Amino acid sequence: MPSLEWSIDASTSRPLRIVAHLSPAALGGALLLVLGAGLVFVVTNPTVLFSGPGLVLLLLLVIGGPSSLAYLWPMLTDPEQRPSTAEFAGAEGFPFSVRSVSIAAASGAVVILGLVVVGVPFEVVYWLVVVCVFSPILVAMATTRGELDGEGLAINRTEVPLARLRRVRSARLGDHTVVWLSYVERTGLFVPRLFVVPRSKREAVLDRLDAGVDADPAIEPPDRAVQTVLLIGGALFLGVAALASVSIDEPAIRPYAAVVLGGIGAALGLAGWRGI
């Protein structure tokens, strides 16, 4: 069988590139609005620069730490240390550039300001920004670097255990196909389960996966002691998550604590229930 390789990431896929820029749009847009509001306040109230807090802020900007002028001056004056746009562009496959991030931040500021102007509640705008900040997770889930050769199939440098496949599902999305793999019990947690294939490679990849489904691997019994430890640990995390959801008063922290702790507990419980 001839060797096949493909790569789908934010540098080759326009939809993924747009999703990847949601994070700098949210963070950069919010930062631009804060800086703009601060600048307008200073221009309309110039006496604030000579007040106590204003003088402290100016002192911090000059000599106050890693973002101060005194700290950055050697790098700014030395061409060898000064950052360049080429360095910012990163290695091959890097989806960001100075221009794209600037456009994303400016667009984010316009969208956030527009939502505030039309009267969208602050909580809605806040959660929209939070969701956009975590957009790189979606990009990472869809990023696929695949290799199919005579020895097997590898997704993102991880070999797919073809003989342990139980079911293969696929759905076409335009010129790409999303593939979802299910394995027999005790295959492990860190195996490829979801990836994307371009239309030109679809038939070859699915044929190889279907051949793996027909195999009949031996299934080892789970370790009961490990299952018990995982189930107990998951239950403890879920209990702490429930406690955090009712005991933390700060509304900006309570959902994060509950979701993170609850997610860990659910993952441990699922691993203990299925056996790893």
Side-chain angles (χ1 to χ4, degrees), residues 152-167:
L153 173 65
I155 301 297
N156 297 331
R157 298 183 179 180
T158 302
E159 183 180 355
V160 177
L162 299 175
R164 301 187 68 84
L165 285 174
R166 181 175 61 185
R167 187 176 180 184

Side-chain angles (χ1 to χ4, degrees), residues 127 237-265:
W127 282 110
F237 269 100
L238 290 174
V240 175
L243 181 63
S245 65
V246 298
S247 61
I248 297 178
D249 296 329
E250 179 57 49
I253 299 177
R254 182 172 60 243
Y256 288 107
V259 169
V260 171
L261 294 173
I264 295 175

Side-chain angles (χ1 to χ4, degrees), residues 138-196:
L138 298 177
V139 177
M141 293 176 60
T143 296
T144 303
R145 293 177 178 86
E147 182 178 358
L148 174 64
D149 54 26
E151 298 181 355
L153 173 65
I155 301 297
N156 297 331
R157 298 183 179 180
T158 302
E159 183 180 355
V160 177
L162 299 175
R164 301 187 68 84
L165 285 174
R166 181 175 61 185
R167 187 176 180 184
V168 178
R169 304 177 182 89
S170 63
R172 295 189 181 186
L173 293 176
D175 293 334
H176 298 84
T177 297
V178 179
V179 181
W180 178 20
L181 304 180
S182 299
Y183 299 90
V184 298
E185 289 78 5
R186 296 186 56 76
T187 299
L189 297 176
F190 304 103
V191 291
R193 298 183 184 274
L194 188 70
F195 61 92
V196 183

Side-chain angles (χ1 to χ4, degrees), residues 9-28 84-105 132-137 139-140 143:
D9 53 30
S11 65
T12 59
S13 172
R14 185 175 182 182
L16 286 182
R17 188 159 54 250
I18 293 174
V19 174
H21 279 80
L22 291 179
S23 182
L27 292 175
S84 64
T85 55
E87 293 174 344
F88 178 80
E92 183 180 357
F94 194 72
F96 303 108
S97 66
V98 174
R99 181 173 178 270
S100 67
V101 171
S102 301
I103 293 176
C132 290
V133 167
F134 287 99
S135 65
I137 297 177
V139 177
T143 296

Side-chain angles (χ1 to χ4, degrees), residues 17-232:
R17 188 159 54 250
I18 293 174
V19 174
H21 279 80
L22 291 179
S23 182
L27 292 175
L31 181 60
L32 285 178
L33 289 178
V34 171
L35 293 177
L39 181 61
V40 170
F41 178 77
V42 171
V43 171
T44 55
N45 301 273
T47 56
V48 73
L49 295 176
F50 303 100
S51 64
L55 292 175
V56 171
L57 179 60
L58 289 176
L59 183 63
L60 291 175
L61 291 176
V62 175
I63 60 173
S67 61
S68 65
L69 181 61
Y71 187 92
L72 297 175
W73 186 253
M75 180 182 66
L76 297 175
T77 56
D78 185 358
E80 295 184 358
Q81 299 186 54
R82 190 183 308 151
S84 64
T85 55
E87 293 174 344
F88 178 80
E92 183 180 357
F94 194 72
F96 303 108
S97 66
V98 174
R99 181 173 178 270
S100 67
V101 171
S102 301
I103 293 176
S107 302
V110 171
V111 171
I112 294 174
L113 183 60
L115 293 175
V116 173
V117 169
V118 298
V120 176
F122 174 78
E123 291 78 8
V124 176
V125 178
Y126 171 78
W127 282 110
L128 179 63
V129 171
V130 170
V131 170
C132 290
V133 167
F134 287 99
S135 65
I137 297 177
L138 298 177
V139 177
M141 293 176 60
T143 296
T144 303
R145 293 177 178 86
E147 182 178 358
L148 174 64
D149 54 26
E151 298 181 355
L153 173 65
I155 301 297
N156 297 331
R157 298 183 179 180
T158 302
E159 183 180 355
V160 177
L162 299 175
R164 301 187 68 84
L165 285 174
R166 181 175 61 185
R167 187 176 180 184
V168 178
R169 304 177 182 89
S170 63
R172 295 189 181 186
L173 293 176
D175 293 334
H176 298 84
T177 297
V178 179
V179 181
W180 178 20
L181 304 180
S182 299
Y183 299 90
V184 298
E185 289 78 5
R186 296 186 56 76
T187 299
L189 297 176
F190 304 103
V191 291
R193 298 183 184 274
L194 188 70
F195 61 92
V196 183
V197 183
R199 181 171 55 183
S200 59
K201 310 291 193 305
R202 179 180 185 275
E203 296 300 330
V205 172
L206 291 182
D207 288 345
R208 175 61 65 89
L209 294 174
D210 290 337
V213 173
D214 296 335
D216 187 18
I219 302 176
E220 304 84 359
D223 189 325
R224 298 302 180 185
V226 174
Q227 280 188 295
T228 302
V229 171
L230 290 175
L231 289 173
I232 294 175

